[in-house]
Amino acid sequence: MTPRKSSASAKPGAPHRKKKIAHAAAHEPAHSAELVIITGMSGSGKASVLKAFEDLGYYCVDNLPVELIPRFAEVALQSSEIRRTALVVDVREGSKLDLLPGILKAVRRMIPTKVAFLEASDAVLMRRFSETRRPHPLGTNEPVNTSLKAERKHLATIRALADIVIDTSKFNVHELRAHVTQRFREQSSEKSILVSCVSFGFRHGVPEEADLVFDVRFLPNPHFVPEFRPLTGRDPRVAKYIRSFPQTKEFIKRISDLLVYLLPHYIREGKSYLTISFGCTGGQHRSVMIAEEVGKSLHKAGYRVKVAHRDMPK
């Protein structure tokens, strides 16, 4: 496998470095030595993740040759200033990337090391390459989808060694950086999972990204109240109407309690994000109101929550 040469690639003698110098560093307590290796699919957001680590105070290096990783780890251990380090290694390394599993085994005996593997669906990666108009690192001789399949196959062994696998398909740039920041911030909360409460209309299909789906079509439909028909579930009058029925209050309470019970178990299993979808007929009234209310309940319980309404009229 011969990747396309990149002008941004680091040279063995002088790797491209991105430094983050914290203010008043001399007064901060020393951190335990730590190395994070960021790898994964091209277009999955590795550059954004490296930026997040830089903002957290990590000493960051992009595209460090794998053969220099042991030396880099030694420098981090010996330095009184560089303690928390992060670097990106990916398919730009070409055939040398095959050395990473063995190097990783040796480095882990020297310094606490985590491997974060970023990926996304082929459809999302192809869209990102189309939007940015950047060629795939493996070259322009093959279609992007062919290069992605070859890259995914080449990275399979490294993915199996990863401590953390992050599917970035559901994140935009800001959400991805927030997610990584929350996960790697020192003394971060155990409630680091990102919960998405999404409303939708069954007539438009169930969201593909849904982990849990709840059907709220059993609730009275504001669509049949003429004054509510053009409004949405975010309107206080519509929300008050839906909330006036005892089954609504009971449903919100029971679902919120169930989720508060389930989320710690999902976190323990390594889940980083959970998408909970609430569906009604058109995705305009009931599902919108329920997604908002459940989102508020989970936020009060200390979780990071994102509420979205897929089919609500703009």
Side-chain angles (χ1 to χ4, degrees):
M1 178 179 299
T2 305
R4 178 181 60 83
K5 292 183 179 180
S6 170
S7 59
S9 298
K11 296 180 180 179
H16 173 63
R17 292 180 173 84
K18 295 183 179 181
K19 297 184 179 181
K20 179 70 175 181
I21 303 176
H23 295 295
H27 301 289
E28 294 180 355
H31 304 306
S32 299
E34 177 188 2
L35 171 64
V36 178
I37 297 177
I38 304 162
T39 186
M41 296 293 294
S42 301
S44 61
K46 298 187 295 293
S48 295
V49 169
L50 191 65
K51 276 287 186 182
F53 278 102
E54 187 179 10
D55 291 342
L56 287 171
Y58 284 71
Y59 184 92
C60 297
V61 179
D62 185 20
N63 200 24
L64 181 74
V66 294
E67 294 170 306
L68 292 182
I69 294 177
R71 177 57 184 155
F72 182 78
E74 289 177 4
V75 171
L77 285 171
Q78 295 168 4
S79 173
S80 60
E81 298 179 358
I82 303 173
R83 302 296 291 170
R84 306 173 75 201
T85 56
L87 57 89
V88 171
V89 177
D90 55 31
V91 76
R92 290 173 292 176
E93 188 72 3
S95 60
K96 295 284 188 179
L97 193 62
D98 294 335
L99 301 174
L100 183 59
I103 291 173
L104 180 61
K105 185 177 181 180
V107 168
R108 278 178 162 158
R109 290 195 291 263
M110 299 167 52
I111 185 172
T113 304
K114 290 183 180 179
V115 176
F117 189 96
L118 275 62
E119 61 183 7
S121 67
D122 285 350
V124 169
L125 293 175
M126 289 181 65
R127 188 190 75 232
R128 290 174 181 171
F129 274 105
S130 176
E131 290 174 349
T132 61
R133 299 184 180 181
R134 296 189 63 188
H136 190 279
L138 294 183
T140 57
N141 295 329
E142 299 289 344
V144 172
N145 62 336
T146 301
S147 296
L148 289 174
K149 290 178 181 177
E151 181 181 19
R152 203 178 290 278
K153 182 178 180 181
H154 191 58
L155 294 175
T157 301
I158 297 173
R159 186 187 188 282
L161 297 173
D163 301 283
I164 302 162
V165 176
I166 303 176
D167 186 338
T168 68
S169 301
K170 303 176 184 179
F171 294 114
N172 61 35
V173 172
H174 306 293
E175 291 167 345
L176 176 59
R177 290 181 64 172
H179 175 73
V180 171
T181 298
Q182 181 70 21
R183 184 148 192 169
F184 283 89
R185 181 185 292 124
E186 288 192 320
Q187 299 177 347
S188 63
S189 168
E190 293 181 357
K191 298 180 179 180
S192 58
I193 192 170
L194 174 64
V195 183
S196 295
C197 292
V198 180
S199 70
F200 71 95
F202 276 99
R203 69 167 58 143
H204 305 294
V206 177
E208 292 183 1
E209 69 274 16
D211 296 303
L212 300 174
V213 177
F214 295 98
D215 186 344
V216 299
R217 288 176 292 186
F218 68 92
L219 298 174
N221 193 350
H223 175 79
F224 297 111
V225 180
E227 62 183 287
F228 295 154
R229 186 169 298 178
L231 305 177
T232 73
R234 297 186 70 181
D235 189 285
R237 292 165 291 177
V238 176
K240 182 178 180 181
Y241 171 79
I242 301 173
R243 196 183 294 109
S244 67
F245 297 93
Q247 58 266 44
T248 303
K249 296 177 182 178
E250 186 72 14
F251 177 79
I252 293 172
K253 183 181 185 305
R254 286 178 179 268
I255 291 300
S256 297
D257 289 345
L258 173 64
L259 293 171
V260 168
Y261 165 75
L262 288 174
L263 286 171
H265 296 283
Y266 284 130
I267 294 171
R268 242 175 261 124
E269 289 299 316
K271 202 166 184 63
S272 302
Y273 37 84
L274 184 75
T275 300
I276 309 163
S277 296
F278 300 94
C280 61
T281 305
Q284 178 175 340
H285 296 111
R286 294 166 291 180
S287 61
V288 170
M289 181 269 187
I290 295 297
E292 291 281 344
E293 291 299 315
V294 173
K296 290 176 184 177
S297 296
L298 296 179
H299 180 73
K300 289 180 181 178
Y303 292 97
R304 293 187 301 130
V305 181
K306 171 188 173 183
V307 179
H309 306 296
R310 191 191 71 179
D311 301 321
M312 184 182 74
K314 299 297 186 285

